[in-house]
Amino acid sequence: MRSESAVTVKGLCKRFGSFTAVDHIDFTVRKGEIFGFLGANGAGKTTTIRMLCGLLRPSEGVGKVAGFDIMTDTEMIKTRIGYMSQKFSLYDDLTIMENISFFGGLYGLSARELGKRGREVIEWAGLAGMERRITSTLAGGWKQRLALGTALLHEPEIIFLDEPTAGVDPVSRRNFWKIIQEIAHRGVTVFVTTHYLDEAEYCHSIRLMDRGRIIAAGAPEELKKEVITEKMYQMETDQPARAVHILKTLQDISGASLLGIKINILTDLPEQELKQMVLEKMSAEEIRVESLEPVDPTLEDVFIRLIK
Ligand code: ATP
């Protein structure tokens, strides 16, 4: 039977001396999904990717990538995957076309394949006419597309993207996610790390890592339902800092936090009761409430709660 999973790992572990960077993690990535691997700097995301790509030997555990064993079949794995590292791995002093030729050679493409795939990648990345530009002169968003294009030259089954949007402007980030969705649509499994939580909403399934361990797993909507069991409201007032302080003292409110000038409130109370209670309290404290409305939790709310 053909396997439906692109990646599986069990008890995967990486120690550097006495320090455990990845601490017995288990997960499965289904074929064709966008799998998001999240966590703060140093959580162990890059170390995990490097083990899956055959670039770093695990200290312990078992795993398969594209059907091959991560301990013994690393050379086979490398032919089936694409990898875009944090620094985009491009050669800045080469032209766009030279970068494509270099990576095509690395992936073992014949001259004919390289000609064909190189053209496709150039067109796809919107770089037609710019083939002779020196890579260092490209803006971040273009460079990012070129790096992704080179990682896709050999038509891999799985692509590993390590913080592909770090340091890229918001418009390019959004466009990049459209491309990622397109790639997944074509059946390529996408394994992506990010620390931008808004981006995690694009993923079909996510894992949150904290100090080497997976502390949450599931689809974004599932995680929100599981972790935030209360209702969430957002309030605006003329004195947010004071208001949040007061809300924290109220018994029926399980959480109150300041987000910019807005206050997030978590409670099990029905909407009318909450509104009445908060409005009365704020009025007694001479705080003007400008709005108080239910909102959906974001992944950021989920992670703040989990990491607490
Ligand atoms: P970032 O977004 O900063 O890359 P990350 O989640 O990818 O974060 P890793 O790069 O996997 O984190 O690093 C996890 C931990 O392992 C960090 O504390 C890092 O300093 C440590 N580490 C990584 N590689 C090595 C190494 N070769 N030797 C020793 N420690 C290492």
Side-chain angles (χ1 to χ4, degrees):
M1 202 176 88
R2 260 173 68 96
S3 159
E4 287 310 307
S5 52
V7 179
T8 50
V9 299
K10 256 196 162 46
L12 188 67
C13 202
K14 183 68 198 179
R15 282 182 287 269
F16 296 110
S18 60
F19 174 72
T20 306
V22 174
D23 195 0
H24 298 94
I25 59 171
D26 303 335
F27 59 80
T28 297
V29 183
R30 288 195 307 269
K31 280 187 181 164
E33 79 177 348
I34 304 177
F35 184 87
F37 214 53
L38 318 180
N41 287 345
K45 306 180 299 293
T46 302
T47 304
T48 303
I49 284 202
R50 290 174 58 80
M51 288 191 278
L52 298 178
C53 293
L55 301 170
L56 192 65
R57 194 174 163 78
S59 308
E60 241 181 80
V62 291
K64 284 197 168 174
V65 172
F68 296 100
D69 191 301
I70 57 169
M71 289 287 189
T72 53
D73 300 332
T74 51
E75 290 313 307
M76 284 308 292
I77 289 174
K78 285 178 195 164
T79 65
R80 304 296 173 97
I81 61 162
Y83 173 51
M84 178 173 157
S85 73
Q86 283 180 19
K87 302 219 167 57
F88 300 166
S89 36
L90 294 169
Y91 288 95
D92 258 359
D93 52 343
L94 296 184
T95 65
I96 292 175
M97 203 58 217
E98 283 166 347
N99 260 306
I100 288 183
S101 303
F102 174 79
F103 284 98
L106 208 65
Y107 292 130
L109 263 56
S110 68
R112 225 178 102 235
E113 285 167 332
L114 181 63
K116 179 171 170 282
R117 284 295 295 153
R119 261 323 331 133
E120 284 169 7
V121 163
I122 291 270
E123 298 287 339
W124 170 84
L127 293 166
M130 302 210 263
E131 294 85 341
R132 288 170 183 224
R133 278 240 336 236
I134 297 288
T135 305
S136 63
T137 66
L138 289 176
W142 292 109
K143 242 191 208 174
Q144 182 198 38
R145 281 178 150 236
L146 176 60
L148 180 58
T150 58
L152 289 168
L153 272 170
H154 56 308
E155 303 188 284
E157 291 167 41
I158 309 170
I159 178 133
F160 290 88
L161 307 171
D162 194 2
E163 291 191 17
T165 54
V168 174
D169 68 83
V171 176
S172 302
R173 274 176 55 196
R174 180 164 296 208
N175 289 337
F176 193 75
W177 275 94
K178 281 195 191 135
I179 299 175
I180 291 180
Q181 285 170 316
E182 258 172 53
I183 293 172
H185 220 77
R186 282 193 268 142
V188 178
T189 308
V190 180
F191 188 115
V192 56
T193 76
T194 179
H195 52 231
Y196 295 117
L197 293 178
D198 56 330
E199 293 188 343
E201 305 270 356
Y202 296 108
C203 299
H204 300 127
S205 184
I206 54 187
R207 297 295 178 276
L208 175 68
M209 270 196 107
D210 185 40
R211 284 166 287 172
R213 290 171 175 255
I214 291 177
I215 60 163
E221 292 312 312
E222 267 168 35
L223 278 178
K224 288 177 197 170
K225 283 204 191 96
E226 254 168 50
V227 177
I228 311 278
T229 49
E230 309 96 316
K231 283 201 204 118
M232 185 176 251
Y233 295 84
Q234 207 159 63
M235 179 165 95
E236 285 184 90
T237 73
D238 60 346
Q239 300 172 59
R242 255 191 83 216
V244 82
H245 189 71
I246 294 164
L247 288 169
K248 281 183 175 164
T249 66
L250 300 179
Q251 222 185 10
D252 289 317
I253 288 183
S254 49
S257 54
L258 204 54
L259 266 177
I261 56 161
K262 294 182 180 167
I263 299 168
N264 274 356
I265 301 173
L266 288 169
T267 181
D268 284 323
L269 286 179
E271 185 168 347
Q272 284 318 317
E273 267 179 61
L274 171 85
K275 283 187 167 167
Q276 195 179 346
M277 178 183 78
V278 171
L279 292 177
E280 275 172 16
K281 189 75 190 165
M282 293 297 134
S283 160
E285 299 284 343
E286 297 188 346
I287 294 175
R288 198 176 72 236
V289 175
E290 280 146 13
S291 64
L292 174 56
E293 293 303 329
V295 287
D296 290 327
T298 63
L299 282 173
E300 195 164 339
D301 301 317
V302 170
F303 294 154
I304 287 171
R305 168 152 297 184
L306 285 172
I307 283 169
K308 262 184 193 162

